Amino acid sequence: MITDQETNFLYLADTLPKLYPSFYSRFEKVLKQCGITSTQLPNTNDVWAVDYMPIQIQDDLFVQFLYNPDYLISKAERKTISDVDTICHQIRITPTKSKIALDGGNVIRAKDKVILTDKVFKSNSSYTNKQLTTELEELF
């Protein structure tokens, strides 16, 4: 498992500088001061890329979970869901796809542990707790 501390590159949604230009300008300066390289993900519809983009497991291994948040209800809100397949193709990654509904922003990664909230069980009621736990262990 690759933890956030072990990464040396950051992808940011291209909507971030469009929607929050002042914040983005300050953030970009801080990243450069810290020696963190970043680039923008193309064609995003939402700034929260951590929620919908695949999770990096190893150098060249990513897992893409189903991003289907229950809090995006209206048609207008649903339009904020980015086309992850297209974005991944454009940045040249081919993730392993999972049918598990999981918001990547709810995943805390440690070297040999993953911490999730119980929402993962509520969002995947077609799985038994044991089935879901087993599949998540295999993916992570």
Side-chain angles (χ1 to χ4, degrees), residues 4-100:
D4 290 339
Q5 294 81 5
E6 295 171 317
T7 60
N8 60 0
F9 192 82
L10 180 64
Y11 280 105
L12 299 169
D14 64 354
T15 50
L16 185 61
K18 295 172 191 170
L19 296 175
Y20 303 99
S22 177
F23 167 79
Y24 180 76
S25 177
R26 293 188 317 269
F27 188 52
E28 192 175 38
K29 286 177 187 173
V30 170
L31 290 174
K32 285 180 183 173
Q33 289 171 350
C34 294
I36 298 172
T37 307
S38 68
T39 195
Q40 293 178 16
L41 293 169
N43 303 311
T44 63
N45 296 333
D46 184 12
V47 298
W48 299 106
V50 68
D51 292 346
Y52 54 84
M53 288 301 293
I55 296 174
Q56 186 174 14
I57 307 299
Q58 296 174 5
D59 285 343
D60 292 321
L61 178 62
F62 297 80
V63 176
Q64 181 180 335
F65 291 98
L66 177 63
Y67 179 66
N68 188 23
D70 56 6
Y71 53 84
L72 297 179
I73 299 167
S74 73
K75 191 173 184 177
E77 290 171 324
R78 303 293 293 172
K79 286 182 181 181
T80 66
I81 297 176
S82 297
D83 182 349
V84 176
D85 291 336
T86 299
I87 296 169
C88 287
H89 178 73
Q90 290 175 318
I91 63 171
R92 297 186 183 113
I93 65 170
T94 306
T96 299
K97 292 189 178 188
S98 171
K99 293 181 181 179
I100 296 174

